[in-house]
Amino acid sequence: MQKAWWKEAVVYQIYPRSFMDSNGDGIGDLQGIIKKLDYIKNLGITVIWVSPIYKSPNKDNGYDISDYQDIMDEFGTMEDFDELLKEIHQRGMKLVMDLVVNHTSDQHKWFLESRKSKDNKYRDYYIWKDPVDGHEPTNWGSYFSGSAWQFDETTGQYYLHQFVPEQPDLNWDNPVVRKEVFDMMTWWCEKGIDGFRMDVISLISKPEEYKDGPVKEGEKYSFCGAVTANGPHEHEYLQEMNQKVLSRYNLLTVGETSCVTLEEAKKYARSDGKELSMVFQFEHMDVDSDEHGKWTDKKLYLPDLKEVLNRWQKGLEEVAWNSLFWDNHDQPRVVSRWGNDSGEYRELSAKMLATCLHMMQGTPYVYQGEELGMTNMHFSDVSECDDIEEKNIYIDLVTDTKVYTHDQMMDIISKKGRDDSENAGFTTGTPWFAVNPNYKTINAAAQVEDPDSIYNYYRKLIELRKEEEVIVYGTFDGLEDADENLYIYTRSSENKKILVICNFTEKELDVPASIADMVKENRGILIGNYKDISEKIRPYEAVVYLTK
Ligand code: GLC
């Protein structure tokens, strides 16, 4: 297999608003990140991805950008950015920027011009359509509830927004738009950044025809992503981006590819390097969804998760490359979701989940606080929430359609929503968003010192990945027929093989007969979350054997 630095990387994601506040205004900032670089370096991280830090009216917390070449005032200045990049490089780490180019903010100068008149020079930078029978051009529904079209009085036309109305979609079919985006990317590359995480990049190429999509019973709109994802010119545009920008630098590129299939991923992340290094797929994030999407408290059935991840591991082997993640700023905390965040099992289950993910093939991503086993926070009213997606879905499923009661919905928002509490020590002022009341037990200062902490367990996992090539490049084989409460797989290279066993329950389980010999003849334990060994597989146990 072809080697690459980004295949050997371990990425740490920072959501700047709630990471570290250096000036006491309650909002995280770039100087705050600089203060924490040693902490991140000490974890063994090699790449940092920062969520958007550009100028933004914050209708979607920075994912609505009004100037791609300037820094949000609350986060600092371009000088702070230059210092951050220098400090990251000085520590031997790299920096990946968030690239949000499916849409801009409605306050971006291109959109302010575009909406002025039909013959404005910037009109075709966005997607404008005439009303059909006095209504929206199609029945497409936005990712964040409601229609994906917004009527604009000035010119009597609708514009497309797959997210909130303040995030108008750019028209990628316009070559001038592509050139603007590529020039902007080049500008950042010339500054010396090391890659891009590309926001909803699978949605940039829109369908040739704008027509209604299918609507589920009881719903008004047809989910736009089903019609717009992986569009007709998607790969052509990414190849053009690759030729004009990416291939000229040595970058890590990861596409956030909503609605991606395995077959599509093989095109996006193909090992010939013509498009991206890797993609984020979301099939495994959907295993506990139902007809209301993620807004349900459906429990995880482990065989479903194994089926998805094993298929992606095998499916991309040799031909493309996986990214590995449990958490990010759009997802709930994994220890609360698929582990056990109450009391005695929090630490064990956080370490088990980390082991399960970090021993797979692909580039692992750690979301800020995951390395501390941070948990979801409970909200009892939407007024406590900040996120637009949560506010809209509450109206949809409680006020309008009465699918859930208030209490049920608040429970689901607490479990599945994007609002995430901040870490202890985050600020000396009043934080812009609540700090989880459990910060006294879950905090970084204590964990760095404690050799048995979740933080130091992550550190060991990351170190192992650097020491054992089989963890990066070895072949993956899932043992799918074993106990349904266990996740078991092997990784093999020419001269090494490891066996990974993870118990996703609080039950004590027997070693399945199919791996009994492998376990008996093991050549040592690489890592495990219990200090001693046992004949049985204990609650939330994770153990990695060197084997033959
Ligand atoms: C991506 C981001 C999410 C954002 C959306 C629109 O899914 O991860 O946070 O709201 O795109 O930019």
Side-chain angles (χ1 to χ4, degrees), residues 13 15 49 51 60-64 98 100 102-103 143-144 163-164 167 197 199-200 256 258 282 328-330 387-389 418:
Q13 184 196 350
Y15 194 65
W49 149 32
S51 279
D60 185 22
N61 273 347
Y63 283 92
D64 48 321
D98 219 304
V100 189
N102 173 69
H103 44 266
Y143 270 75
F144 293 159
F163 296 88
V164 290
Q167 290 169 302
R197 174 267 185 191
D199 193 65
V200 289
E256 189 211 19
S258 178
F282 293 95
N328 63 38
H329 63 290
D330 294 325
D387 180 29
I388 187 77
E389 185 186 27
R418 305 197 299 174

mmCIF file of all heavy atoms in Angstrom, residues 13 15 49 51 60-64 98 100 102-103 143-144 163-164 167 197 199-200 256 258 282 328-330 387-389 418, ligand 1:
data_model
loop_
_atom_site.group_PDB
_atom_site.id
_atom_site.type_symbol
_atom_site.label_atom_id
_atom_site.label_comp_id
_atom_site.label_asym_id
_atom_site.label_seq_id
_atom_site.Cartn_x
_atom_site.Cartn_y
_atom_site.Cartn_z
ATOM 1 N N GLN A 13 -9.800 17.847 16.525
ATOM 2 C CA GLN A 13 -10.701 18.899 16.063
ATOM 3 C C GLN A 13 -10.996 19.906 17.162
ATOM 4 O O GLN A 13 -11.415 19.552 18.258
ATOM 5 C CB GLN A 13 -12.033 18.328 15.568
ATOM 6 C CG GLN A 13 -12.934 19.438 14.993
ATOM 7 C CD GLN A 13 -14.388 19.050 14.825
ATOM 8 O OE1 GLN A 13 -14.740 17.878 14.960
ATOM 9 N NE2 GLN A 13 -15.235 20.030 14.528
ATOM 10 N N TYR A 15 -13.304 23.223 18.095
ATOM 11 C CA TYR A 15 -14.456 24.082 17.813
ATOM 12 C C TYR A 15 -14.160 25.370 18.576
ATOM 13 O O TYR A 15 -14.352 25.450 19.784
ATOM 14 C CB TYR A 15 -15.716 23.393 18.333
ATOM 15 C CG TYR A 15 -17.001 23.989 17.833
ATOM 16 C CD1 TYR A 15 -17.328 23.946 16.479
ATOM 17 C CD2 TYR A 15 -17.903 24.582 18.698
ATOM 18 C CE1 TYR A 15 -18.514 24.481 16.021
ATOM 19 C CE2 TYR A 15 -19.093 25.125 18.238
ATOM 20 C CZ TYR A 15 -19.396 25.069 16.890
ATOM 21 O OH TYR A 15 -20.571 25.604 16.445
ATOM 22 N N TRP A 49 -7.384 20.330 13.258
ATOM 23 C CA TRP A 49 -8.410 20.905 12.361
ATOM 24 C C TRP A 49 -9.215 21.901 13.190
ATOM 25 O O TRP A 49 -9.758 21.540 14.217
ATOM 26 C CB TRP A 49 -9.295 19.794 11.786
ATOM 27 C CG TRP A 49 -10.725 20.172 11.494
ATOM 28 C CD1 TRP A 49 -11.199 21.385 11.098
ATOM 29 C CD2 TRP A 49 -11.882 19.318 11.593
ATOM 30 N NE1 TRP A 49 -12.576 21.343 10.944
ATOM 31 C CE2 TRP A 49 -13.020 20.087 11.242
ATOM 32 C CE3 TRP A 49 -12.067 17.970 11.930
ATOM 33 C CZ2 TRP A 49 -14.307 19.562 11.232
ATOM 34 C CZ3 TRP A 49 -13.357 17.459 11.914
ATOM 35 C CH2 TRP A 49 -14.455 18.242 11.563
ATOM 36 N N SER A 51 -12.485 24.296 13.283
ATOM 37 C CA SER A 51 -13.762 24.668 12.668
ATOM 38 C C SER A 51 -13.679 26.149 12.300
ATOM 39 O O SER A 51 -12.778 26.855 12.758
ATOM 40 C CB SER A 51 -14.898 24.374 13.647
ATOM 41 O OG SER A 51 -15.224 23.004 13.596
ATOM 42 N N ASP A 60 -25.028 30.238 11.915
ATOM 43 C CA ASP A 60 -24.771 28.804 12.086
ATOM 44 C C ASP A 60 -23.343 28.645 12.627
ATOM 45 O O ASP A 60 -22.518 27.928 12.070
ATOM 46 C CB ASP A 60 -24.962 28.076 10.744
ATOM 47 C CG ASP A 60 -24.816 26.570 10.879
ATOM 48 O OD1 ASP A 60 -24.993 26.051 12.002
ATOM 49 O OD2 ASP A 60 -24.522 25.910 9.863
ATOM 50 N N ASN A 61 -23.093 29.367 13.698
ATOM 51 C CA ASN A 61 -21.787 29.345 14.362
ATOM 52 C C ASN A 61 -20.564 29.225 13.449
ATOM 53 O O ASN A 61 -19.783 28.274 13.539
ATOM 54 C CB ASN A 61 -21.757 28.246 15.425
ATOM 55 C CG ASN A 61 -22.285 28.780 16.741
ATOM 56 O OD1 ASN A 61 -22.438 30.002 16.909
ATOM 57 N ND2 ASN A 61 -22.556 27.887 17.679
ATOM 58 N N GLY A 62 -20.400 30.194 12.587
ATOM 59 C CA GLY A 62 -19.187 30.259 11.771
ATOM 60 C C GLY A 62 -19.283 29.527 10.446
ATOM 61 O O GLY A 62 -18.447 29.707 9.574
ATOM 62 N N TYR A 63 -20.302 28.670 10.285
ATOM 63 C CA TYR A 63 -20.466 27.960 9.009
ATOM 64 C C TYR A 63 -21.224 28.825 7.994
ATOM 65 O O TYR A 63 -21.652 28.358 6.955
ATOM 66 C CB TYR A 63 -21.114 26.589 9.213
ATOM 67 C CG TYR A 63 -20.082 25.594 9.751
ATOM 68 C CD1 TYR A 63 -19.905 25.396 11.113
ATOM 69 C CD2 TYR A 63 -19.241 24.919 8.872
ATOM 70 C CE1 TYR A 63 -18.933 24.522 11.594
ATOM 71 C CE2 TYR A 63 -18.260 24.048 9.340
ATOM 72 C CZ TYR A 63 -18.113 23.851 10.700
ATOM 73 O OH TYR A 63 -17.147 22.998 11.156
ATOM 74 N N ASP A 64 -21.422 30.095 8.344
ATOM 75 C CA ASP A 64 -21.998 31.086 7.428
ATOM 76 C C ASP A 64 -20.947 32.195 7.331
ATOM 77 O O ASP A 64 -20.845 33.040 8.203
ATOM 78 C CB ASP A 64 -23.342 31.612 7.962
ATOM 79 C CG ASP A 64 -23.280 32.033 9.444
ATOM 80 O OD1 ASP A 64 -22.620 31.348 10.248
ATOM 81 O OD2 ASP A 64 -23.882 33.073 9.788
ATOM 82 N N ASP A 98 -11.104 24.680 7.994
ATOM 83 C CA ASP A 98 -12.430 24.327 7.508
ATOM 84 C C ASP A 98 -12.708 25.152 6.262
ATOM 85 O O ASP A 98 -12.475 26.362 6.242
ATOM 86 C CB ASP A 98 -13.472 24.639 8.601
ATOM 87 C CG ASP A 98 -14.546 23.587 8.681
ATOM 88 O OD1 ASP A 98 -15.176 23.339 7.638
ATOM 89 O OD2 ASP A 98 -14.761 23.023 9.769
ATOM 90 N N VAL A 100 -15.692 26.183 3.798
ATOM 91 C CA VAL A 100 -17.158 26.141 3.683
ATOM 92 C C VAL A 100 -17.549 26.842 2.397
ATOM 93 O O VAL A 100 -17.741 28.064 2.370
ATOM 94 C CB VAL A 100 -17.818 26.826 4.902
ATOM 95 C CG1 VAL A 100 -19.324 26.588 4.895
ATOM 96 C CG2 VAL A 100 -17.211 26.325 6.204
ATOM 97 N N ASN A 102 -19.919 25.387 -0.049
ATOM 98 C CA ASN A 102 -21.204 25.061 -0.676
ATOM 99 C C ASN A 102 -22.098 26.296 -0.639
ATOM 100 O O ASN A 102 -22.934 26.510 -1.510
ATOM 101 C CB ASN A 102 -21.897 23.912 0.059
ATOM 102 C CG ASN A 102 -23.303 23.683 -0.464
ATOM 103 O OD1 ASN A 102 -23.477 23.239 -1.603
ATOM 104 N ND2 ASN A 102 -24.310 24.035 0.331
ATOM 105 N N HIS A 103 -21.880 27.112 0.420
ATOM 106 C CA HIS A 103 -22.687 28.312 0.605
ATOM 107 C C HIS A 103 -21.825 29.390 1.248
ATOM 108 O O HIS A 103 -20.752 29.095 1.780
ATOM 109 C CB HIS A 103 -23.885 28.009 1.509
ATOM 110 C CG HIS A 103 -23.516 27.172 2.702
ATOM 111 N ND1 HIS A 103 -23.621 25.796 2.707
ATOM 112 C CD2 HIS A 103 -23.004 27.484 3.914
ATOM 113 C CE1 HIS A 103 -23.215 25.317 3.867
ATOM 114 N NE2 HIS A 103 -22.814 26.314 4.625
ATOM 115 N N TYR A 143 -31.822 21.178 5.228
ATOM 116 C CA TYR A 143 -31.257 20.294 6.264
ATOM 117 C C TYR A 143 -31.757 20.698 7.655
ATOM 118 O O TYR A 143 -31.800 19.885 8.550
ATOM 119 C CB TYR A 143 -29.729 20.377 6.247
ATOM 120 C CG TYR A 143 -29.069 19.372 5.326
ATOM 121 C CD1 TYR A 143 -29.075 19.543 3.942
ATOM 122 C CD2 TYR A 143 -28.428 18.249 5.829
ATOM 123 C CE1 TYR A 143 -28.466 18.633 3.092
ATOM 124 C CE2 TYR A 143 -27.814 17.336 4.989
ATOM 125 C CZ TYR A 143 -27.835 17.524 3.624
ATOM 126 O OH TYR A 143 -27.229 16.618 2.789
ATOM 127 N N PHE A 144 -32.070 21.969 7.809
ATOM 128 C CA PHE A 144 -32.448 22.462 9.132
ATOM 129 C C PHE A 144 -33.934 22.819 9.207
ATOM 130 O O PHE A 144 -34.303 23.838 9.778
ATOM 131 C CB PHE A 144 -31.601 23.699 9.505
ATOM 132 C CG PHE A 144 -30.138 23.392 9.703
ATOM 133 C CD1 PHE A 144 -29.184 24.407 9.599
ATOM 134 C CD2 PHE A 144 -29.698 22.118 10.030
ATOM 135 C CE1 PHE A 144 -27.833 24.147 9.798
ATOM 136 C CE2 PHE A 144 -28.346 21.840 10.217
ATOM 137 C CZ PHE A 144 -27.416 22.867 10.099
ATOM 138 N N PHE A 163 -29.185 24.981 3.860
ATOM 139 C CA PHE A 163 -29.135 25.095 5.329
ATOM 140 C C PHE A 163 -30.045 26.266 5.708
ATOM 141 O O PHE A 163 -31.103 26.393 5.116
ATOM 142 C CB PHE A 163 -27.678 25.160 5.795
ATOM 143 C CG PHE A 163 -26.974 23.847 5.455
ATOM 144 C CD1 PHE A 163 -26.366 23.637 4.228
ATOM 145 C CD2 PHE A 163 -27.036 22.775 6.348
ATOM 146 C CE1 PHE A 163 -25.821 22.403 3.889
ATOM 147 C CE2 PHE A 163 -26.485 21.530 6.016
ATOM 148 C CZ PHE A 163 -25.876 21.362 4.785
ATOM 149 N N VAL A 164 -29.659 27.131 6.651
ATOM 150 C CA VAL A 164 -30.605 28.200 7.008
ATOM 151 C C VAL A 164 -30.685 29.255 5.887
ATOM 152 O O VAL A 164 -29.770 29.352 5.063
ATOM 153 C CB VAL A 164 -30.262 28.867 8.373
ATOM 154 C CG1 VAL A 164 -30.540 27.904 9.517
ATOM 155 C CG2 VAL A 164 -28.849 29.391 8.418
ATOM 156 N N GLN A 167 -27.771 31.183 4.678
ATOM 157 C CA GLN A 167 -26.654 30.463 4.041
ATOM 158 C C GLN A 167 -27.011 30.116 2.588
ATOM 159 O O GLN A 167 -27.252 28.947 2.254
ATOM 160 C CB GLN A 167 -26.352 29.162 4.813
ATOM 161 C CG GLN A 167 -25.739 29.377 6.187
ATOM 162 C CD GLN A 167 -25.719 28.085 7.020
ATOM 163 O OE1 GLN A 167 -26.757 27.482 7.268
ATOM 164 N NE2 GLN A 167 -24.550 27.656 7.449
ATOM 165 N N ARG A 197 -10.627 20.717 5.588
ATOM 166 C CA ARG A 197 -11.790 19.867 5.858
ATOM 167 C C ARG A 197 -12.921 20.561 5.105
ATOM 168 O O ARG A 197 -13.217 21.722 5.348
ATOM 169 C CB ARG A 197 -12.046 19.815 7.364
ATOM 170 C CG ARG A 197 -13.333 19.073 7.767
ATOM 171 C CD ARG A 197 -14.498 20.035 7.888
ATOM 172 N NE ARG A 197 -15.699 19.382 8.380
ATOM 173 C CZ ARG A 197 -16.891 19.946 8.379
ATOM 174 N NH1 ARG A 197 -17.060 21.170 7.935
ATOM 175 N NH2 ARG A 197 -17.928 19.308 8.824
ATOM 176 N N ASP A 199 -16.476 21.329 4.115
ATOM 177 C CA ASP A 199 -17.846 21.284 4.606
ATOM 178 C C ASP A 199 -18.833 20.878 3.505
ATOM 179 O O ASP A 199 -18.783 21.441 2.401
ATOM 180 C CB ASP A 199 -18.194 22.696 5.112
ATOM 181 C CG ASP A 199 -19.459 22.733 5.918
ATOM 182 O OD1 ASP A 199 -19.480 22.122 6.990
ATOM 183 O OD2 ASP A 199 -20.422 23.382 5.480
ATOM 184 N N VAL A 200 -19.728 19.955 3.840
ATOM 185 C CA VAL A 200 -20.761 19.447 2.907
ATOM 186 C C VAL A 200 -20.360 19.551 1.422
ATOM 187 O O VAL A 200 -21.141 20.003 0.581
ATOM 188 C CB VAL A 200 -22.150 20.111 3.145
ATOM 189 C CG1 VAL A 200 -22.749 19.617 4.441
ATOM 190 C CG2 VAL A 200 -22.120 21.622 3.147
ATOM 191 N N GLU A 256 -16.351 16.438 3.905
ATOM 192 C CA GLU A 256 -17.527 16.059 4.679
ATOM 193 C C GLU A 256 -18.595 15.751 3.638
ATOM 194 O O GLU A 256 -19.128 16.658 2.992
ATOM 195 C CB GLU A 256 -17.982 17.195 5.594
ATOM 196 C CG GLU A 256 -19.071 16.718 6.545
ATOM 197 C CD GLU A 256 -20.069 17.798 6.933
ATOM 198 O OE1 GLU A 256 -20.169 18.818 6.220
ATOM 199 O OE2 GLU A 256 -20.761 17.627 7.930
ATOM 200 N N SER A 258 -21.943 14.410 3.031
ATOM 201 C CA SER A 258 -23.299 14.035 3.410
ATOM 202 C C SER A 258 -23.853 13.107 2.329
ATOM 203 O O SER A 258 -23.636 13.331 1.147
ATOM 204 C CB SER A 258 -24.112 15.330 3.489
ATOM 205 O OG SER A 258 -25.434 15.076 3.795
ATOM 206 N N PHE A 282 -21.165 8.992 6.897
ATOM 207 C CA PHE A 282 -22.040 9.101 8.080
ATOM 208 C C PHE A 282 -22.948 7.908 8.314
ATOM 209 O O PHE A 282 -23.812 7.958 9.179
ATOM 210 C CB PHE A 282 -22.881 10.387 7.983
ATOM 211 C CG PHE A 282 -22.018 11.600 8.093
ATOM 212 C CD1 PHE A 282 -21.554 12.235 6.963
ATOM 213 C CD2 PHE A 282 -21.606 12.054 9.333
ATOM 214 C CE1 PHE A 282 -20.703 13.326 7.053
ATOM 215 C CE2 PHE A 282 -20.758 13.143 9.440
ATOM 216 C CZ PHE A 282 -20.306 13.780 8.302
ATOM 217 N N ASN A 328 -17.984 14.761 16.624
ATOM 218 C CA ASN A 328 -17.542 16.043 16.076
ATOM 219 C C ASN A 328 -18.548 17.079 16.566
ATOM 220 O O ASN A 328 -19.419 16.746 17.377
ATOM 221 C CB ASN A 328 -17.394 16.007 14.543
ATOM 222 C CG ASN A 328 -18.700 15.751 13.822
ATOM 223 O OD1 ASN A 328 -19.747 16.247 14.228
ATOM 224 N ND2 ASN A 328 -18.647 14.993 12.751
ATOM 225 N N HIS A 329 -18.440 18.294 16.070
ATOM 226 C CA HIS A 329 -19.299 19.360 16.592
ATOM 227 C C HIS A 329 -20.773 19.168 16.234
ATOM 228 O O HIS A 329 -21.619 19.883 16.761
ATOM 229 C CB HIS A 329 -18.796 20.715 16.075
ATOM 230 C CG HIS A 329 -18.892 20.805 14.581
ATOM 231 N ND1 HIS A 329 -18.079 20.076 13.740
ATOM 232 C CD2 HIS A 329 -19.720 21.499 13.768
ATOM 233 C CE1 HIS A 329 -18.406 20.330 12.483
ATOM 234 N NE2 HIS A 329 -19.403 21.192 12.476
ATOM 235 N N ASP A 330 -21.084 18.258 15.309
ATOM 236 C CA ASP A 330 -22.481 18.013 14.943
ATOM 237 C C ASP A 330 -23.052 16.783 15.652
ATOM 238 O O ASP A 330 -24.222 16.460 15.472
ATOM 239 C CB ASP A 330 -22.597 17.751 13.426
ATOM 240 C CG ASP A 330 -22.254 18.962 12.588
ATOM 241 O OD1 ASP A 330 -22.555 20.088 13.016
ATOM 242 O OD2 ASP A 330 -21.686 18.769 11.491
ATOM 243 N N ASP A 387 -28.376 26.167 19.317
ATOM 244 C CA ASP A 387 -28.302 25.693 17.940
ATOM 245 C C ASP A 387 -29.616 25.850 17.169
ATOM 246 O O ASP A 387 -30.676 25.424 17.612
ATOM 247 C CB ASP A 387 -27.890 24.214 17.970
ATOM 248 C CG ASP A 387 -27.780 23.625 16.592
ATOM 249 O OD1 ASP A 387 -27.479 24.388 15.660
ATOM 250 O OD2 ASP A 387 -28.022 22.413 16.444
ATOM 251 N N ILE A 388 -29.498 26.396 15.980
ATOM 252 C CA ILE A 388 -30.652 26.652 15.110
ATOM 253 C C ILE A 388 -31.351 25.356 14.693
ATOM 254 O O ILE A 388 -32.574 25.285 14.577
ATOM 255 C CB ILE A 388 -30.200 27.492 13.871
ATOM 256 C CG1 ILE A 388 -31.377 27.930 13.010
ATOM 257 C CG2 ILE A 388 -29.194 26.773 13.025
ATOM 258 C CD1 ILE A 388 -32.133 29.073 13.577
ATOM 259 N N GLU A 389 -30.556 24.311 14.502
ATOM 260 C CA GLU A 389 -31.144 23.023 14.100
ATOM 261 C C GLU A 389 -32.089 22.510 15.194
ATOM 262 O O GLU A 389 -33.189 22.026 14.933
ATOM 263 C CB GLU A 389 -30.030 21.995 13.836
ATOM 264 C CG GLU A 389 -30.555 20.677 13.294
ATOM 265 C CD GLU A 389 -29.498 19.586 13.163
ATOM 266 O OE1 GLU A 389 -28.498 19.613 13.913
ATOM 267 O OE2 GLU A 389 -29.689 18.689 12.341
ATOM 268 N N ARG A 418 -26.734 19.198 18.694
ATOM 269 C CA ARG A 418 -25.365 19.655 18.414
ATOM 270 C C ARG A 418 -24.812 20.546 19.515
ATOM 271 O O ARG A 418 -23.611 20.811 19.532
ATOM 272 C CB ARG A 418 -25.331 20.430 17.090
ATOM 273 C CG ARG A 418 -25.895 19.643 15.932
ATOM 274 C CD ARG A 418 -25.496 20.235 14.615
ATOM 275 N NE ARG A 418 -25.986 21.604 14.429
ATOM 276 C CZ ARG A 418 -25.648 22.356 13.397
ATOM 277 N NH1 ARG A 418 -24.810 21.911 12.489
ATOM 278 N NH2 ARG A 418 -26.132 23.574 13.269
HETATM 279 C C1 GLC B 1 -21.749 20.865 8.016
HETATM 280 C C2 GLC B 1 -21.207 21.349 9.337
HETATM 281 C C3 GLC B 1 -22.346 21.860 10.147
HETATM 282 C C4 GLC B 1 -22.989 23.014 9.411
HETATM 283 C C5 GLC B 1 -23.388 22.613 8.000
HETATM 284 C C6 GLC B 1 -23.680 23.803 7.158
HETATM 285 O O1 GLC B 1 -22.575 19.774 8.172
HETATM 286 O O2 GLC B 1 -20.496 20.334 9.972
HETATM 287 O O3 GLC B 1 -21.936 22.236 11.423
HETATM 288 O O4 GLC B 1 -24.098 23.456 10.110
HETATM 289 O O5 GLC B 1 -22.380 21.907 7.339
HETATM 290 O O6 GLC B 1 -22.511 24.521 6.891
#
